[in-house]
Amino acid sequence: MSPNQIMNRMNDIEYGFPDTHGNNILIENPKRYEKEFDKFYYLQTPEELLKSKCGVCWEQVELERKLFQDTNIPFKTYFIYIVDDDMLPSHTFLTYQKDSKYYWFEHSWGKYQGIHEYRSEVELLLDVRQLFEREHSYVSKKKLLFIYEYQKPKEHITCDEFYQYIETQKLVKIQKPLYFYHLVNKNADMRKGLLSLQYMYDHKMYDLFDKNVEKYKKRITMDWNLSKYKNKKDLTREEYLDGLSLFRGKYGGSYLYFFRYPPYKELGKRMETILKEKDIYRINLQDEETMKYIKDIFYGYDFSHSDSFPLDKKYYEEISKDSYFQNYQDEEEMNFKNLNHIGIAFRDDFCPIQFLTKCNKEDVKE
């Protein structure tokens, strides 16, 4: 059976899910389909799907898998989904390779139904990703998108079980790296990774907390226009965390801060001195494993001032190294103040060391 013949066979299947009477719930009761899908859904077998002639992309791909297994054409199955709070829009699809070309075999996604040809597997996956993002533009800008290559799942698993199974499969990494940088004291203990103030506080690491939080005193009591703490002489540990939350949001004490480009000694004498005492670590914000561990990103305000315009990911993607450092003031007491930076809140309030790379001279050249 050829791919075109398989597509013709799939045309007997409509999108949806059968009720106990064999009727398509999507058509007969769309409100129930939308609100209770995770309650009534189970993964039909290919034989059950051929009988019901009604199924979502998850089981349609399983039928495609069965039909392709009888050919000598190499194929793979993929699961793409977006994580955005409680929303988890997803899609499964099959690809195959023939004569040095790659093909996206799509039946259930009606708008793109057909067989689409590509020069490479990466080109194919990037195209599906772009289309999926476009079709789900209603989710927030902080959404995370993942693609997994997966093998045949168990029959009759539920919606939640399907997602759990996908988490055990091969995470596909196709995005171009987007590096951000963090300065660390050369004698710092990095065995665990980077610890946030919230982590230090929760784990009663008060000496380390007090040492790292002092730099925020002037900002909380003066620079950030927080009337609650305006000109206050002393702050408790709890007030430091509260002040950070008032300015940064609920993850204020959890954020770890990263520069878009690594500072370099030519910026001035003071920076040269600082870099003699610091190591530079970088994180790839586009790495899918890293993304899964992130619970929030704060892109900041221009010049770190809440009266300025808020920044976003696009700003950091597009800004050049020269433009990024053009407002740096080496002679100022807070010489990093004008370097826009992001705050990343990680699960468990620390950045594991496996997501960080200690930079050498070649690593910091972009």
Side-chain angles (χ1 to χ4, degrees), residues 111-154:
K111 188 174 181 179
Y112 301 103
Q113 190 177 96
I115 299 175
H116 311 272
E117 181 183 295
Y118 300 87
R119 291 169 297 181
S120 70
E121 186 176 38
V122 171
E123 181 185 31
L124 186 161
L125 294 174
L126 286 173
D127 187 45
V128 175
R129 176 193 172 93
Q130 183 181 39
L131 294 173
F132 192 72
E133 284 184 305
R134 184 188 304 164
E135 294 296 322
H136 296 86
S137 59
Y138 56 84
V139 298
S140 78
K141 293 182 179 179
K142 292 187 177 181
K143 63 161 180 354
L144 299 174
L145 186 150
F146 302 105
I147 300 177
Y148 285 85
E149 179 188 340
Y150 72 103
Q151 305 303 312
K152 178 178 173 59
K154 292 182 180 179

Side-chain angles (χ1 to χ4, degrees), residues 65-227:
R65 184 195 305 279
K66 179 178 175 61
L67 296 174
F68 264 89
Q69 282 174 343
D70 294 332
T71 73
N72 292 319
I73 303 173
F75 72 92
K76 295 179 180 180
T77 55
Y78 291 96
F79 184 95
I80 182 172
Y81 76 110
I82 292 173
V83 180
D84 182 44
D85 296 328
D86 294 330
M87 293 189 292
L88 291 169
S90 70
H91 182 59
T92 54
F93 58 98
L94 181 144
T95 71
Y96 66 91
Q97 182 182 358
K98 187 177 182 181
D99 299 331
S100 300
K101 297 288 187 179
Y102 294 80
Y103 297 86
W104 169 25
F105 184 96
E106 182 57 58
H107 179 264
S108 65
W109 194 355
K111 188 174 181 179
Y112 301 103
Q113 190 177 96
I115 299 175
H116 311 272
E117 181 183 295
Y118 300 87
R119 291 169 297 181
S120 70
E121 186 176 38
V122 171
E123 181 185 31
L124 186 161
L125 294 174
L126 286 173
D127 187 45
V128 175
R129 176 193 172 93
Q130 183 181 39
L131 294 173
F132 192 72
E133 284 184 305
R134 184 188 304 164
E135 294 296 322
H136 296 86
S137 59
Y138 56 84
V139 298
S140 78
K141 293 182 179 179
K142 292 187 177 181
K143 63 161 180 354
L144 299 174
L145 186 150
F146 302 105
I147 300 177
Y148 285 85
E149 179 188 340
Y150 72 103
Q151 305 303 312
K152 178 178 173 59
K154 292 182 180 179
E155 300 173 353
H156 295 167
I157 58 177
T158 65
C159 182
D160 288 343
E161 288 171 337
F162 198 104
Y163 275 102
Q164 292 169 11
Y165 169 71
I166 290 299
E167 288 283 331
T168 69
Q169 298 299 288
K170 180 182 177 182
L171 182 62
V172 179
K173 299 186 179 184
I174 57 172
Q175 296 201 83
K176 180 180 178 182
L178 178 63
Y179 293 118
F180 283 80
Y181 300 83
H182 187 92
L183 300 182
V184 180
N185 289 331
K186 287 186 177 294
N187 60 352
D189 183 354
M190 289 292 291
R191 287 174 295 179
K192 190 176 186 68
L194 294 174
L195 311 181
S196 72
L197 289 170
Q198 190 67 55
Y199 183 94
M200 297 173 194
Y201 178 83
D202 291 342
H203 291 79
K204 296 180 172 55
M205 303 167 70
Y206 296 137
D207 288 344
L208 194 58
F209 179 95
D210 294 341
K211 179 180 179 181
N212 284 274
V213 82
E214 181 65 25
K215 61 188 175 186
Y216 292 107
K217 183 175 181 180
K218 183 175 180 293
R219 302 180 206 184
I220 292 173
T221 59
M222 296 178 63
D223 296 342
W224 288 348
N225 298 326
L226 302 179
S227 58

